[in-house]
Amino acid sequence: MTRVPLVKYLILVLIGLSFSLISNIIILSLVILVINVFVYIGFTKQYVPMRQITFIVFTTLTGYIVGFGILKPVFTTHIYQPKLNALIHGRIHEINITSNNTLRVKVEGNIDFVSLKNIQAKCLLSLPSQDSSVHLQPGNEIYCVAQLRLPEKQQLPTDFPEVQYCTANGVMFIGTIFQNEFAVTSHQTSWYANIQRVRTSIQKFNDDYYPKETKGIINALVIGETNEIDNSTRELFSLSGTSHVLSVSGLHVGVIAYILYLLFGFVHHQWIKVLLFSCCLISFVVLTGFQPSAVRAVIMAILVVVVKTKQRDVSMVNILFATSILMLALEPSLLFSIAFQLSVTSLLGLLLFYQRSLHLLKLIFPWNNIVFIWLLNSVSVSIAASILVLPLVIYYFSSLSLIGPISNIIAVPLTSLAMVLGILAYLVHPVTTVLAEGYILLAHNLLQVTIIVNSFLLKLPFSSIQSLQLMVPVVVASCTIGYVVYSSTIRMLVFRVGIGSIIMVALIVSLTQQSTNFIIQHKHIQASFIKSTNNSSVLLLHDIKPVRTIYYDKPLTQYLKMQTTDSILVVSKGRQSEIVCDSLLSNSHCKNIKYVKL
């Protein structure tokens, strides 16, 4: 710990964050008690230096103070929230297009409720794109009338995590703009609008020159714009374990940073080189929309170059934790960002387990072929990054890709090269169209190969698993893999693999014998699921009350798909329940399905 002091700091801050979930009176009492005990020991027994006492108390209280303001609202939000009408006057920060052709606009400004006082806050507003009589852009100032509500807690694991998403993005309300009840009052001409114009120019260039199959992916790689990626492509990359390449990630920033460092090699003055390197990286992350993983990678890259320039030893773990602390200090809500969590944990896994994984693989396969060594390195990267990140993936997405280590060996280098070619194509196009079209064709072919390989791998049996009971086995498997990769001899490896296998088999057997009967109410549907001992089940669905507009309950459908068995009897009553049943019947993997409509 003395070599990585920032690890101690972050651990104590996280302890303070967890303490903030308990009643503040109890916590303050315990903190006072702990301080008194430490002070007593420090002054009378001289067992603990006062500097260490101050460090422990200060960092823990820092985490508690931050957590009480950030975590407490998340865990006290009710499932049901009333809806209120409000007049909103604010500025657009972000615009996204959802899969059902709806604009999702993030607005910050004054919110005037009819029965409550005015407040300044961010809200996430939905607007049918065909209702927009003007072209909305980030930076526009708008007036609108909307129906607002607070974010809702998840009822099912497949529900969209509104509370966590809104907390991570600083959003207080979610709402819908009334039809034709909005107007753009001014157009922003600041630096933000100028950046948006550059992003729009790049997006238009990609839309004009790239085929339909790959233009959405290239926009995601170059400017972080993921709206044009269709649902089938998202699902393909998600099930193959390569969804992280569909956005500007830390890996892509690392590629850009490496190229920039080589390009500025001719600059003899070291600090001028650092300045140029930092400006280019910051410009890239600004252009791509401040993705948390990209921001983390840019800060780390700049810190590494600065430390190397000062000719000091680089501790990547220290730099990772320093970057995390800095980002959380500037934006505490990032603690709830899924992208930030996955980025930090995957890189920490690489730093802790990559060398050990590579050493173990070389111990098992002692060949010195160049291609084989590259393959071992790629597999080691996949294993090391997956050890810590897999539990988070299962927690958020309830899906496990068994072909991930293989698909990443192909997808990561191909998409990274396609990103570089996409940037070069835009830069050289004003000078030479022929060279730009060559880059475009090559980038398109690389992305096509990635799609074809992912599609082929997904056709293999047991390529991916979707289940709500994966959390405990995956946590145990991650701990086992971490335990195994630190084996120093073949004998130790065999012993640890044997112990881990016995634990996993016992755990899986115990989980398969558990009953999964349940009764749930979700939106306008009640579902009752009864599972028998011979791997057959009965599913009863009925509408709770009639509704004017038929609503397809996708989260409930996904949840029920994960519960289906080899043989199932489905009974439905009501129009909404019928829609869920139709989706289950068309996409279920059950061998024997019987359907009864009441």
Side-chain angles (χ1 to χ4, degrees), residues 76-299:
T76 56
T77 305
H78 299 292
I79 291 177
Y80 173 75
Q81 300 292 352
K83 297 179 180 180
L84 297 173
N85 294 340
L87 174 64
I88 301 171
H89 177 210
R91 196 169 298 281
I92 297 176
H93 280 244
E94 184 180 333
I95 299 176
N96 292 308
I97 302 176
T98 62
S99 57
N100 57 354
N101 201 30
T102 299
L103 290 178
R104 184 169 291 165
V105 184
K106 187 189 296 183
V107 178
E108 181 176 13
N110 182 69
I111 302 177
D112 182 9
F113 291 102
V114 176
S115 56
L116 301 173
K117 65 179 182 179
N118 296 0
I119 60 173
Q120 292 285 330
K122 285 184 183 179
C123 51
L124 193 64
L125 304 176
S126 297
L127 172 70
S129 58
Q130 61 269 22
D131 291 342
S132 178
S133 57
V134 294
H135 182 58
L136 295 178
Q137 288 186 342
N140 290 162
E141 187 175 300
I142 66 168
Y143 268 104
C144 65
V145 179
Q147 189 176 66
L148 302 181
R149 61 175 175 82
L150 293 173
E152 294 181 355
K153 268 191 174 182
Q154 286 180 273
Q155 291 179 266
L156 298 175
T158 49
D159 278 331
F160 180 73
E162 284 188 355
V163 173
Q164 181 173 354
Y165 176 82
C166 292
T167 305
N169 289 274
V171 173
M172 183 176 293
F173 298 103
I174 296 177
T176 304
I177 298 176
F178 289 108
Q179 189 172 11
N180 299 324
E181 292 290 335
F182 75 95
V184 177
T185 58
S186 68
H187 298 273
Q188 182 73 314
T189 57
S190 66
W191 65 273
Y192 188 83
N194 295 329
I195 292 171
Q196 187 60 33
R197 277 195 287 270
V198 175
R199 286 170 53 87
T200 303
S201 173
I202 297 174
Q203 185 172 1
K204 186 178 183 302
F205 172 81
N206 292 337
D207 291 344
D208 291 340
Y209 284 92
Y210 285 88
K212 181 181 178 181
E213 298 82 9
T214 55
K215 67 178 182 180
I217 301 177
I218 202 70
N219 278 326
L221 292 173
V222 176
I223 59 173
E225 184 62 57
T226 60
N227 292 330
E228 295 184 14
I229 302 177
D230 57 84
N231 291 334
S232 59
T233 303
R234 291 177 190 272
E235 185 176 6
L236 173 66
F237 278 77
S238 176
L239 293 177
S240 63
T242 55
S243 58
H244 59 94
V245 303
L246 292 180
S247 61
V248 180
S249 63
L251 173 69
H252 300 128
V253 173
V255 173
I256 298 294
Y258 181 73
I259 294 173
L260 289 174
Y261 194 77
L262 293 179
L263 288 177
F264 292 132
F266 68 90
V267 180
H268 298 293
H269 194 288
Q270 293 299 317
W271 289 109
I272 294 179
K273 182 192 296 186
V274 171
L275 181 62
L276 293 173
F277 176 83
S278 303
C279 290
C280 290
L281 274 187
I282 292 172
S283 299
F284 178 74
V285 79
V286 169
L287 192 64
T288 54
F290 294 99
Q291 307 293 329
S293 56
V295 174
R296 187 269 307 158
V298 166
I299 296 175

